[in-house]
């Protein structure tokens, strides 16, 4: 089992590049520990800005720095970053088109037992609805590394959500196909397609194996790019299939499922089932306990596919 | 400074003409903030339309973005924009010349409109100046009603924490907001003390007086280790008795009769200056 959380990988990549690129600037809102960015603050104090517990300030200051040529990475728990500073993300980052990468850490229900205030089950919907904002949810540490490497090459706004805990590897260091804004097809099958992002990719991969044992062959798509959604891959994979299942650690509205459904409904109508968190305060527990409770696991995905293909 | 004051009445007319042409705008705050903008753009800031991306230029963010018509008039006079184009385009369908600053237009650094954004953005700009060892200064103007936004105070706290002596903020203290007197809506008692308690250098001036404004900006440049806040005590609607100190002129479009009276008042005050 992998022991490295995606947030630590973000720190590693930024540190590697910060050695030679003095414009890389990291901002935290008393969140350097929870964001795994303390090593960056330690190694590059002149490229690190602490704003205290003030998420609105965090994002606006990042935008001002970016306006003056800095490549800014503003990291804060996703629950606060995507709601408390939503307007700053909309106006100062997306609307003013500043080179700010918003890193939403401990996203989704990573803070399971801390309650709804600490859950970010609305961030895909919220951030995707802002013009000029891109939304990424990498599935494992290897993909996270490629994503951050790619983001360092552009000057556009983006929101990246990662979870708190280490997640199982989907890829290997040697084998992590990555193309910016293109989904990765992990499995090809003709009966149904599973489309997931972030931590929900792993149970889809597991489900595909279990389904194969039952004689059902499914495609598995890692749609780390919620926005811009890779609509071409959605259409290619959904076309001719009886069933599309989306899986996400998000509210049932406005997230990956909604976006995939729009594309499928328009381009290649077929049945789409959206597996997501409920439209209700989420039960407390570890991520695993919460996912199991709502069927956001391999067994739940298998059951959904089998039932809907009958 | 007298020539700037004389210029200000021509620009006031431009503002009213822009508002008449676009059939909308925030005329009261335009008139209160105009002298602050003229002082910055014509006396203080190192900025030029010939080299708008100069990395050493001074930076300005109009945090009270609804006063964009005053900003347009100043940017036209400074050569960034064309007045006839602004009048033709302002508030029209599919225009860049919208009712708040738009950074797709020359001379405008950041979009604004929602209040409480300018100061924190300027902190980022001022921090970048320190990090990059550049000598530029960063300016913003907020409204006094805007001070009720919590994000302003997050920024007030941070600016002194980072000792941003390259940052100078101005409050356009016209004491009126859309619902009426600021002191009735949300009071700002002991405003100078409030900023001073956050370790800002605070200067209180008549914000429609060029000598006082310019002296305050000069003083701000000499302050080391802390940011400066200029409380510019202004008159909303300044320039014509038709509008002065009247809350309902927050975003009123003059009737033709009012327009003629306002322009005549501007002319009268300009003439008086010319014959002083």
């Amino acid at each position: 089992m992998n022991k490295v959380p995606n947030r630590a990988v973000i720190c590693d990549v930024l540190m590697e590049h910060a050695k030679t690129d003095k414009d890389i600037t990291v901002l935290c809102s008393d969140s350097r520990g929870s964001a795994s960015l303390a090593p960056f603050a330690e190694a590059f104090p002149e490229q690190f800005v602490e704003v205290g517990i003030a998420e609105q300030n965090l994002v606006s200051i990042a935008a001002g720095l970016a306006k003056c040529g800095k490549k800014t990475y503003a990291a804060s728990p996703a629950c606060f970053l995507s709601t408390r500073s939503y307007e700053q993300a909309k106006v100062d980052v997306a609307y003013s088109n500043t080179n700010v990468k918003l890193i939403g850490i401990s996203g989704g229900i990573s803070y399971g037992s801390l309650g709804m205030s600490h859950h970010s089950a609305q961030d895909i919907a919220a951030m995707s609805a802002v013009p000029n904002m891109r939304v990424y949810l990498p599935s494992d540490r290897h993909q996270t590394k490629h994503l951050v490497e790619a983001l360092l090459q552009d000057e556009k706004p983006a929101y990246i959500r990662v979870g708190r805990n280490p997640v199982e590897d989907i890829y290997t260091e040697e084998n992590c196909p990555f193309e910016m804004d293109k989904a990765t097809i992990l499995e090809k099958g003709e009966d149904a397609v599973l489309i997931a992002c972030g931590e929900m990719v792993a149970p889809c991969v597991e489900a595909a194996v279990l389904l194969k044992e039952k004689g059902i062959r499914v495609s598995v798509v890692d749609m780390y790019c919620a926005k811009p959604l890779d609509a071409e891959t959605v259409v290619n994979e959904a076309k001719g299939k009886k069933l599309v299942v989306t899986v996400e650690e998000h509210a049932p509205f406005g997230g990956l499922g909604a976006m995939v459904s729009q594309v499928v409904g328009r381009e290649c109508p077929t049945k789409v089932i959206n597996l997501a968190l409920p439209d209700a305060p989420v039960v407390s527990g570890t991520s695993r306990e919460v996912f199991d409770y709502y069927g956001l696991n391999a067994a739940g995905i298998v059951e959904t596919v089998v039932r809907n293909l009958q | 400074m007298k020539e700037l004051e004389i210029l200000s009445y021509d620009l006031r007319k431009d503002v009213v003409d822009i508002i008449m042409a676009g059939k909308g705008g925030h005329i009261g705050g335009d008139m209160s903030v105009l002298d602050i903008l003229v002082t910055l753009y014509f006396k203080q800031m190192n900025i030029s339309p010939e080299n708008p991306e100069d990395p050493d230029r001074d930076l300005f963010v109009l945090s009270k973005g609804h006063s964009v018509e005053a900003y347009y008039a100043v940017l036209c006079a400074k050569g960034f924009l064309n007045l006839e184009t602004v009048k033709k385009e302002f508030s029209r369908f599919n225009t860049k010349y919208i009712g708040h600053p738009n950074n797709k237009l020359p001379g405008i650094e950041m979009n604004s409109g929602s209040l409480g954004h300018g100061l924190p953005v300027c902190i980022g700009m001022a921090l970048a100046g320190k990090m990059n060892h550049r000598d530029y200064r960063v300016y913003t103007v907020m409204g006094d009603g805007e001070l009720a936004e919590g994000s302003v105070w997050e920024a007030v706290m941070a600016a002194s924490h980072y000792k941003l002596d390259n940052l100078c903020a101005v409050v356009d203290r016209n004491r009126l907001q859309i619902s009426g007197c600021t002191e009735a809506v949300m009071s700002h008692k002991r405003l100078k003390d409030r900023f001073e308690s956050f370790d800002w250098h605070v200067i209180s001036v008549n914000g429609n007086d060029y000598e006082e404004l310019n002296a305050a900006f000069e003083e701000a440049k000499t302050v080391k280790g802390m940011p400066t806040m200029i409380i510019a005590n202004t008159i909303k609607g300044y320039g014509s008795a038709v509008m002065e100190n009247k809350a309902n002129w927050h975003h009123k479009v003059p009737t033709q009769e009012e327009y003629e009276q306002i322009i005549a008042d501007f002319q009268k005050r300009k003439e008086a200056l010319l014959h002083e």
Side-chain angles (χ1 to χ4, degrees):
Chain A
M1 174 69 190
N2 163 47
K3 296 273 196 308
V4 184
N6 293 346
R7 57 198 164 106
V9 174
I10 295 174
C11 182
D12 291 344
V13 176
L14 293 178
M15 284 180 71
E16 187 56 36
H17 286 263
K19 286 178 198 161
T20 51
D21 188 343
K22 294 299 159 192
D23 283 331
I24 293 174
T25 306
V26 169
L27 298 92
C28 284
S29 52
D30 198 25
S31 49
R32 72 182 80 180
S34 39
S36 298
L37 283 162
F40 187 101
E42 185 85 12
F44 303 99
E46 292 179 353
Q47 290 169 257
F48 181 82
V49 178
E50 174 61 71
V51 306
I53 305 168
E55 292 80 12
Q56 297 178 78
N57 227 8
L58 174 85
V59 175
S60 294
I61 291 175
L65 283 160
K67 174 68 194 172
C68 296
K70 298 296 183 188
K71 299 165 184 173
T72 61
Y73 289 76
S76 185
C79 51
F80 311 134
L81 192 61
S82 65
T83 53
R84 187 65 159 266
S85 45
Y86 187 45
E87 194 189 67
Q88 283 73 16
K90 173 187 149 194
V91 176
D92 302 333
V93 179
Y95 182 32
S96 281
N97 192 30
T98 48
N99 185 6
V100 179
K101 308 303 195 277
L102 300 165
I103 312 289
I105 53 161
S106 300
I109 49 88
S110 292
Y111 290 132
S113 59
L114 296 185
M116 187 166 155
S117 67
H118 279 59
H119 299 160
S120 69
Q122 78 305 310
D123 51 351
I124 303 177
M127 288 298 178
S128 295
V130 175
N132 199 35
M133 183 64 78
R134 297 171 295 167
V135 178
Y136 300 106
L137 291 87
S139 59
D140 81 347
R141 58 179 167 146
H142 302 297
Q143 192 183 55
T144 300
K145 180 172 186 292
H146 284 283
L147 173 65
V148 179
E149 299 270 5
L151 289 169
L152 279 162
Q153 304 305 314
D154 70 47
E155 298 187 344
K156 297 179 289 183
Y159 172 79
I160 303 98
R161 186 228 271 191
V162 291
R164 178 168 178 76
N165 301 314
V167 287
E168 289 171 44
D169 285 342
I170 306 292
Y171 307 97
T172 62
E173 197 169 346
E174 299 74 31
N175 185 17
C176 181
F178 181 87
E179 191 182 338
M180 193 58 167
D181 298 332
K182 287 296 286 180
T184 306
I185 299 170
L186 293 164
E187 193 71 42
K188 290 285 271 184
E190 61 279 3
D191 296 318
V193 55
L194 311 178
I195 303 176
C197 58
E199 293 191 27
M200 291 297 102
V201 174
C204 287
V205 173
E206 206 184 322
V209 174
L210 297 172
L211 285 163
K212 201 181 280 178
E213 289 168 7
K214 293 176 186 290
I216 299 170
R217 296 185 176 274
V218 297
S219 286
V220 177
V221 175
D222 179 346
M223 188 64 74
Y224 74 90
C225 43
K227 187 192 173 192
L229 187 79
D230 179 2
E232 189 184 4
T233 297
V234 170
V235 173
N236 288 342
E237 286 302 318
K239 200 178 271 176
K241 292 199 173 74
K242 290 181 201 145
L243 178 66
V244 176
V245 177
T246 64
V247 194
E248 63 192 310
E249 185 183 354
H250 191 269
F253 311 117
L256 181 70
M259 290 191 262
V260 167
S261 300
Q262 278 184 336
V263 173
V264 173
R266 185 180 67 225
E267 302 290 339
C268 48
T270 190
K271 188 170 191 177
V272 183
I273 301 291
N274 301 144
L275 295 182
L277 293 165
D279 177 30
V282 170
V283 69
S284 70
T286 63
S287 291
R288 175 49 66 100
E289 287 169 336
V290 174
F291 294 150
D292 287 347
Y293 183 81
Y294 294 113
L296 295 171
N297 55 14
I301 296 164
V302 167
E303 191 272 327
T304 300
V305 172
V306 170
R307 180 160 39 86
N308 284 283
L309 281 180
Q310 274 169 1
Chain B
M1 302 309 291
K2 191 176 164 185
E3 63 280 13
L4 287 187
E5 197 175 351
I6 292 165
L7 170 70
S8 79
Y9 287 104
D10 293 336
L11 297 189
R12 282 190 161 81
K13 179 178 182 300
D14 294 343
V15 171
V16 180
D17 286 341
I18 291 168
I19 287 168
M20 294 296 279
K23 301 183 180 68
H26 290 81
I27 194 164
D30 286 333
M31 296 300 148
S32 62
V33 81
L34 188 81
D35 302 311
I36 299 163
L37 300 182
V38 169
T39 308
L40 280 170
Y41 275 81
F42 287 89
K43 206 70 192 168
Q44 287 292 327
M45 286 171 56
N46 167 32
I47 189 163
S48 118
E50 285 77 40
N51 195 6
E53 295 299 320
D54 179 359
D56 288 316
R57 73 191 183 282
D58 291 334
L59 295 161
F60 174 75
V61 178
L62 184 64
S63 194
K64 50 169 294 188
H66 54 285
S67 291
V68 74
E69 300 85 19
Y71 196 18
Y72 284 148
V74 170
L75 289 173
C76 289
K78 192 73 185 172
F80 284 97
L81 303 177
N82 176 280
L83 182 63
E84 290 314 309
T85 309
V86 175
K87 283 196 277 192
K88 200 172 134 210
E89 290 275 328
F90 176 58
S91 286
R92 301 303 204 286
F93 173 72
N94 200 18
T95 185
K96 288 179 192 167
Y97 298 83
I98 56 176
H100 288 105
N102 174 6
N103 68 353
K104 289 193 172 62
L105 290 173
I108 298 179
E109 306 280 3
M110 292 291 287
N111 294 332
S112 57
S114 179
L115 298 170
H117 287 241
L119 187 58
V121 165
C122 285
I123 287 175
M125 293 172 163
L127 270 173
K130 297 279 184 192
M131 290 160 112
N132 293 339
H133 307 290
R134 294 199 179 271
D135 290 332
Y136 63 73
R137 293 185 63 74
V138 182
Y139 296 96
T140 187
V141 181
M142 298 178 283
D144 50 0
E146 180 177 358
L147 300 180
E149 290 282 5
S151 55
V152 170
W153 298 94
E154 287 186 10
V156 167
M157 188 164 23
S160 54
H161 175 80
Y162 302 127
K163 304 185 184 350
L164 296 176
D165 50 19
N166 53 349
L167 171 67
C168 178
V170 184
V171 177
D172 179 7
R173 183 79 170 111
N174 60 32
R175 293 181 176 265
L176 286 174
Q177 58 193 104
I178 195 164
S179 305
C181 174
T182 53
E183 302 317 284
V185 177
M186 185 51 65
S187 65
H188 304 301
K189 287 195 187 80
R190 300 191 303 279
L191 187 57
K192 192 165 186 279
D193 296 348
R194 291 186 188 191
F195 290 124
E196 281 175 345
S197 74
F198 279 87
D199 290 328
W200 282 63
H201 180 72
V202 188
I203 310 166
S204 191
V205 297
N206 176 346
N208 299 116
D209 183 295
Y210 281 87
E211 298 288 349
E212 288 194 30
L213 279 170
N214 198 51
F217 286 119
E218 287 298 322
E219 182 180 323
K221 288 183 197 163
T222 68
V223 176
K224 297 292 168 213
M226 54 167 57
T228 294
M229 181 70 67
I230 297 175
I231 300 173
N233 295 289
T234 57
I235 290 172
K236 199 160 180 174
Y238 187 76
S240 165
V242 175
M243 308 180 281
E244 285 178 349
N245 282 322
K246 290 175 184 165
N248 67 330
W249 279 86
H250 179 78
H251 57 176
K252 191 174 187 302
V253 180
T255 62
Q256 189 58 35
E257 196 183 349
E258 286 165 338
Y259 172 80
E260 281 161 22
Q261 184 59 50
I262 288 166
I263 300 302
D265 287 350
F266 292 165
Q267 190 58 30
K268 210 161 127 190
R269 293 198 194 185
K270 183 181 163 184
E271 293 288 335
L273 285 165
L274 287 168
H275 294 104
E276 255 178 18

